Amino acid sequence: MEMKSKVLITGGTGYLGKRLVKASLGQGHETYVLYRPEIGVDIEKVQMLLSFKEQGAHLVQGSFNDRQSLVNAVRLVDVVICAISGVHIRSHQILLQLKLVDAIKEAGNVKRFLPSEFGTDPAKMENAMEPGRVTFDDKMVVRKAIEDAGIPFTYVSANCFAGYFLGGLCQPGHIIPSREHVSILGSGKEKAIYVDEDDIATYTIMAIDDPRTLNKTLYIMPPRNILSQREVVQIWEKLIGKELRKSSISSEEFLASMREQDYAEQVGLTHYYHVCFEGCLTKFEIGDEGEEASKLYPKIKYTTVEEYMKRYL
């Protein structure tokens, strides 16, 4: 039986990172979690790291401000997965990965690097609006550095995190579904793709030793989860046995309201605009440069939108 790769996860205490650690351990990989000295007295993160250790993970100290510590950490493993935040309302750290790319290049032993992507494929967003395009532009800068360095890679495009989109019935600023009212964005008929965050982690770890995903983009597009906002609302109405009051927001109203927000909020709202008003996630074909996760791994029982939303009852 082929040996499973050793995995280093950076950003392992984050929203997706903790799920990647769990999935890596669950799939039998020797798993290392980078933690930074800057963690200070963040007791919740420390407790999470200790729980990883109890589950069998190795904790490795390293800092993006200490190149040698990164090189030393990278040399312990075969695969590096970065899950540092790229969300402006939290902390936008995408370009920090350039230091990790340099460390991987110097170490020279990594068989695969998965940078922090996990959302919309930035290669498909060359016409994105300001200020939201900064996220996609920064991710493309990191991609170029990876490819210029000759580092083997897999990019993961996981589309819409279910917790953020389904929890709010696709409404920005909401993460618990209302039982009374919903604002429909535009026609509400543009399709998007919603993925359980644990499923994102499962598919990601499945891909790291798979030659079919080497130097390609892995798109996570579960077919039953490709739905419009109106279809998501209908599923919720069926679950609660009640029809919601509905109002609509035009694209012009959405953009005008967006411009009144601070920079970080505008970045996130721009992404919502492209997804919900333009349907950017479903208007392209996967070419030779990509693979679709649910087709590659049909034995994985992914969480459907209806199954996911039952938690809110």
Side-chain angles (χ1 to χ4, degrees), residues 59-78:
L59 305 184
V60 183
Q61 183 169 304
S63 171
F64 283 88
N65 297 319
D66 181 351
R67 180 187 178 99
Q68 192 57 50
S69 72
L70 287 181
V71 173
N72 292 343
V74 165
R75 283 180 171 154
L76 295 170
V77 301
D78 309 301

Side-chain angles (χ1 to χ4, degrees), residues 17-55:
K18 62 188 178 185
R19 292 172 166 86
L20 289 165
V21 173
K22 179 183 176 182
S24 181
L25 290 168
Q27 292 183 35
H29 293 272
E30 188 171 341
T31 304
Y32 295 74
V33 182
L34 188 79
Y35 73 95
R36 309 184 206 181
E38 299 91 336
I39 196 169
V41 292
D42 190 333
I43 189 65
E44 290 188 3
K45 287 188 177 180
V46 170
Q47 293 294 328
M48 190 183 303
L49 288 166
L50 292 175
S51 74
F52 293 157
K53 186 177 179 182
E54 289 174 355
Q55 295 168 55

